Amino acid sequence: MFKVIEGEKVKDGAGVVLNRMIGIEKLQDIDPFLLLDEFRSDNKDDYISGFPMHPHRGFETITYMVKGSFTHRDSRGNEGNLNAGEVQWMTAGKGIIHEEMPAMENGQLWGYQLWVNLPSKLKMIEPKYRHLTNEDMPIINGDGISVKIISGRYGEIKGPIELYFPVEYFDVGLKGGTFEKELKGTNIIYVHSGKVKIYSDEEIEVEKGNMCIITEQEKVKITGEDGGFLFMSADPINEPVARYGPFVMNNMDEIIKAVDDFNEGKLV
């Protein structure tokens, strides 16, 4: 099945302007993906307020910076700059409080945040923070194609980190080349540059700023003369989802416990 989703302009954090693809009225989530935001602007007023301290529990956040820089700080003592091309992979697990604030006052800020759910057996694991530099992530260059591997495997090349829950996450550029990949249960393609043609049991063209969801297919082929996209793929968890702001659990009793723990300072 193919489905194309147009993003919605929203504000989050302390007023950051976002193009939100997942976590909107027409697509609350697509198991196991809970949220996908693109922040991309040359106007400092769109991003300068950042994302001040806020809590998470029950899932993972993956922040990929294409241009510009954020400063990360959290309640577990992790701190540092997330610069162009780098990735912050944070497992919130049983709970963490963090902030992401621009480390720049002018220029283009361009990046993504993806939320990936965790199965019930992993929701209360210890939080973990991993910073991936450009040197950590392999880039495969072929005939008219480049594939940056943030996580998972492309061909014989594997990404840099061992994951609690397997997710494939690539940044792909096409200059007349072809991207081919075997698929998992849930697959999303967010076109960030130009346009691409996607082939499986049908054909569809997707333009910049839109996302294609593919399910119930074994393979995909994507072509483009001057296009780029994020490819994210994982198998669904198939568990109930209870969601309240920055907490994602399996039922409302667990959500209430998360809110109580945060109010009582137990996430620090």
Side-chain angles (χ1 to χ4, degrees), residues 138-149 154 170-179 192 227-229:
I139 297 178
I140 300 171
N141 292 303
D143 186 12
I145 181 174
S146 67
V147 180
K148 180 174 185 174
I149 303 176
Y154 180 71
F170 310 145
D171 188 358
V172 182
L174 295 176
K175 297 285 187 181
T178 300
F179 173 85
H192 59 64
F229 58 92

Side-chain angles (χ1 to χ4, degrees), residues 78-99:
N78 299 302
E79 185 171 351
N81 279 357
L82 182 66
N83 297 313
E86 298 182 339
V87 170
Q88 165 195 292
W89 196 296
M90 190 178 76
T91 304
K94 68 180 185 180
I96 196 167
I97 301 173
H98 78 143
E99 69 174 9

Side-chain angles (χ1 to χ4, degrees), residues 162-231:
E162 294 295 329
L163 303 176
Y164 293 110
F165 182 77
V167 177
E168 293 181 326
Y169 189 171
F170 310 145
D171 188 358
V172 182
L174 295 176
K175 297 285 187 181
T178 300
F179 173 85
E180 296 186 76
K181 188 74 177 68
E182 293 157 351
L183 299 175
K184 296 182 182 291
T186 303
N187 312 276
I188 56 179
I189 296 156
Y190 177 73
V191 180
H192 59 64
S193 305
K195 58 185 177 181
V196 301
K197 287 186 177 179
I198 303 173
Y199 307 83
S200 191
D201 65 343
E202 54 184 302
E203 175 187 337
I204 192 167
E205 186 173 81
V206 184
E207 297 184 347
K208 174 184 173 181
N210 296 332
M211 180 181 74
C212 180
I213 300 169
I214 306 175
T215 57
E216 302 174 357
Q217 301 294 324
E218 293 184 357
K219 295 182 179 179
V220 70
K221 180 171 75 171
I222 305 173
T223 64
E225 292 303 316
D226 191 12
F229 58 92
L230 301 181
F231 174 85

